[in-house]
Amino acid sequence: MEIKTKNARGLLLVLFLGQLVAFSLAAGNFASSLVANLGVNAPLTQSFFVYLLLTLVYVPILFHRRQKPRIPWYWYLAIAFIDVQGNYLFVEAYQYSSITSITLLDCWTVVWVIILTWYILGTRYSFWQFLGAGTCVAGLCLVLLSDARSPDVQEIRFNRLHTADPGKIPLLGDALVIAGTICYAFTNIGQEYCVKKNDRVELVAMHGLCGVLVTAVQIFIFERKNLEAVAWSPTMISLFAGYAAATFMFYNITPFVLKMSGSTLFNLSLLTSDMWAVAIRVFLYQQKVNWLYYLAFTVVAIGLIIYSLNDISSGDETAESTEAVAQYQQLPSEDNSKGSCSNLNGQERKQQEEAHIC
């Protein structure tokens, strides 16, 4: 009973933190979509301000500890490099696809995380967990089908042939998102390994510092012209600041969830951000949502429920089996102690008999 109570409390805490992460993700996606609608294409610059905030907050704390990093710096550099590429692909996707498609398709991260944790971390999943993840993938396929059958696709193809501006290309945006999810999967696996081997402050501090270095170099090489063309109005500055603040909160809470639950349940918790995306598109963007989006979200939600319930039950079984093994291991030790005592008593008796004979 105590184990189940602790698991239930831990699950509620993880779900609460997951909702905070999902909210921050939805807010960041909303800001990125508004920046893209204003004709600005500067995804690396948006990520730079996020990593700069992380550096300014956590690096001084790390220096104050006066401790050497417990994990080699090049691992943090590799994680930051892959994460920067994932952020770039996601923000770039807003130039071609809608916010709803992007936030739904980021669920592909779950698929890659399951594959990577299976082969890298040795995590094993039950049949029902695979069924829940597969149900989520089925919902994602409906998003691709919805974008492919969009009534604007023919008009977009016509514009591509007669104008220099490609405009919105939903399928290209979907491909960029799926590629970004692969980067995020590797990043989550690396972060989960680092946060479980080390503390949260070092992970976030080194991640922010390495992210600043990587984005600064890539901005100088690839994005300098786009950055010079940006008209820095109060609206644009507020959008960049809003994206930085939302993503800063995302990176702050992510290590807690990864340490308590792992990469798979973390990414499954992010599926609730799709609800905010649909609400934004309907009420703020005043756009019509294809009925397949609602069906896709329902299918993804069902898959999340299936996975979460079986994850709890498997956790309970593991805890109970661990306790049973601990109790079982105590019995032989007690028997051995009794046996050793009886052997000692027998030896003492023999010595006494020999002494008596003498």
Side-chain angles (χ1 to χ4, degrees):
M1 292 299 294
E2 293 181 357
I3 295 176
K4 292 182 178 180
T5 303
K6 291 180 180 179
N7 288 338
R9 292 177 180 175
L11 179 63
L12 291 176
L13 179 59
V14 169
L15 291 177
F16 174 73
L17 294 176
Q19 290 304 306
L20 292 180
V21 174
F23 174 77
S24 61
L25 178 62
N29 292 337
F30 175 61
S32 293
S33 63
L34 289 179
V35 171
N37 290 340
L38 293 177
V40 176
N41 185 13
L44 291 172
T45 305
Q46 291 180 242
S47 299
F48 174 81
F49 289 115
V50 177
Y51 295 123
L52 182 61
L53 275 177
L54 294 174
T55 303
L56 294 176
V57 173
Y58 283 95
V59 170
I61 300 176
L62 188 62
F63 284 156
H64 180 71
R65 291 182 171 183
R66 296 180 181 179
Q67 295 179 354
K68 294 182 179 180
R70 300 177 183 177
I71 297 178
W73 62 269
Y74 49 83
W75 286 110
Y76 291 116
L77 182 62
I79 294 174
F81 177 80
I82 298 174
D83 187 55
V84 169
Q85 312 316 310
N87 289 334
Y88 173 82
L89 292 171
F90 260 78
V91 177
E92 184 70 15
Y94 284 101
Q95 302 290 330
Y96 305 101
S97 190
S98 64
I99 182 176
T100 310
S101 295
I102 292 172
T103 51
L104 279 173
L105 283 171
D106 63 9
C107 305
W108 271 100
T109 309
V110 176
V111 180
W112 311 128
V113 163
I114 290 177
I115 296 174
L116 292 176
T117 53
W118 183 281
Y119 288 102
I120 297 178
L121 300 181
T123 306
R124 294 297 179 261
Y125 301 93
S126 65
F127 168 78
W128 291 103
Q129 288 174 319
F130 277 119
L131 179 62
T135 305
C136 294
V137 175
L140 305 180
C141 295
L142 293 177
V143 180
L144 292 172
L145 179 61
S146 177
D147 283 337
R149 297 179 58 184
S150 174
D152 298 331
V153 169
Q154 298 297 329
E155 181 180 355
I156 292 171
R157 292 176 180 174
F158 179 82
N159 291 333
R160 290 181 62 187
L161 294 174
H162 294 82
T163 63
D165 185 8
K168 295 288 184 179
I169 310 175
L171 293 180
L172 177 59
D174 295 343
L176 291 175
V177 173
I178 294 175
T181 58
I182 299 177
C183 297
Y184 280 155
F186 278 101
T187 302
N188 292 153
I189 296 300
Q191 289 176 334
E192 179 183 351
Y193 176 82
C194 291
V195 78
K196 289 183 177 180
K197 294 291 183 180
N198 201 359
D199 61 348
R200 182 182 67 92
V201 174
E202 179 179 317
L203 171 63
V204 180
M206 295 299 295
H207 189 77
L209 181 60
C210 295
V212 167
L213 298 176
V214 173
T215 51
V217 172
Q218 290 190 344
I219 287 172
F220 181 78
I221 298 175
F222 302 109
E223 204 170 270
R224 186 171 52 181
K225 293 182 179 180
N226 292 343
L227 189 60
E228 293 174 353
V230 176
W232 293 102
S233 62
T235 301
M236 187 63 63
I237 294 175
S238 62
L239 290 176
F240 270 78
Y243 176 82
T247 313
F248 175 78
M249 184 171 67
F250 178 88
Y251 281 112
N252 271 286
I253 306 174
T254 294
F256 288 106
V257 184
L258 288 175
K259 190 169 186 176
M260 296 175 64
S261 63
S263 301
T264 304
L265 189 57
F266 165 75
N267 284 280
L268 287 173
S269 299
L270 295 182
L271 300 182
T272 54
S273 64
D274 304 333
M275 177 183 63
W276 297 101
V278 173
I280 289 172
R281 186 171 182 178
V282 173
F283 297 104
L284 297 182
Y285 285 175
Q286 296 181 353
Q287 296 179 2
K288 294 183 179 180
V289 179
N290 194 305
W291 64 272
L292 285 175
Y293 283 121
Y294 297 104
L295 180 60
F297 179 76
T298 303
V299 173
V300 170
I302 293 173
L304 174 62
I305 294 172
I306 294 174
Y307 184 94
S308 299
L309 292 177
N310 287 275
D311 185 61
I312 297 172
S313 61
S314 62
D316 292 340
E317 291 175 359
T318 303
E320 292 175 357
S321 62
T322 303
E323 183 180 2
V325 169
Q327 294 177 354
Y328 177 76
Q329 290 176 349
Q330 291 176 358
L331 294 177
S333 62
E334 294 176 356
D335 294 338
N336 291 333
S337 62
K338 292 180 180 178
S340 60
C341 292
S342 61
N343 292 332
L344 291 174
N345 293 331
Q347 292 177 359
E348 292 178 355
R349 291 177 181 175
K350 289 181 179 179
Q351 291 177 359
Q352 291 177 357
E353 291 177 356
E354 292 175 356
H356 180 71
I357 294 172
C358 295

